[in-house]
Amino acid sequence: AFIGCYTLELRQPQEDINNFTYEERNQRSRETITWLKVRNHGLPMHIICSNTNTILDQLRTLIITNNNIDQTLLQTDELGMTPLHVLCLNPKATPAMFKILANACPQ
């Protein structure tokens, strides 16, 4: 799914992947998968917005219980993405989810 992703390619040393052995390519793939799984560590809004099992009530609860919601919604991950960017990539996101996120932080 991430083959040819320019942002991920920038994270990697500029080496010619065609010169890698099969084992080296597999190792590089495992490292990328691990990074993708942990890149939102410490960013609860990013985690909930990326989860395809998230429902509107979970999102609403996280927004209501967060005392620093403006700051939380403006935080960016390593790729420079805010929770709204992450939600846009979630194929199960609903219009109501976008609305509650936008209303929580209109900037």
Side-chain angles (χ1 to χ4, degrees):
F2 295 97
I3 294 173
C5 176
Y6 181 69
T7 304
L8 289 179
E9 288 175 5
L10 290 177
R11 291 191 74 251
Q12 301 295 332
Q14 298 301 310
E15 303 172 51
D16 186 2
I17 197 165
N18 294 323
N19 295 330
F20 289 176
T21 65
Y22 178 77
E23 290 80 21
E24 289 171 326
R25 285 187 205 159
N26 279 341
Q27 177 61 30
R28 190 62 70 90
S29 292
R30 282 191 296 276
E31 289 169 2
T32 299
I33 289 168
T34 299
W35 176 78
L36 286 168
K37 288 180 179 178
V38 300
R39 73 184 183 99
N40 290 330
H41 180 74
L43 299 169
M45 190 61 75
H46 286 70
I47 293 169
I48 203 162
C49 287
S50 66
N51 187 341
T52 56
N53 293 318
T54 295
I55 59 172
L56 181 61
D57 287 340
Q58 291 171 311
L59 186 59
R60 184 179 290 123
T61 300
L62 186 57
I63 289 170
I64 291 169
T65 59
N66 190 321
N67 295 330
N68 236 353
I69 195 61
D70 286 347
Q71 211 170 12
T72 300
L73 291 175
L74 295 175
Q75 283 182 316
T76 58
D77 63 13
E78 287 187 38
L79 297 176
M81 296 173 66
T82 66
L84 181 59
H85 293 124
V86 174
L87 188 63
C88 288
L89 295 173
N90 185 336
K92 302 262 179 114
T94 65
M97 293 171 132
F98 289 109
K99 185 175 181 177
I100 194 168
L101 205 59
N103 288 340
C105 184
Q107 290 90 318

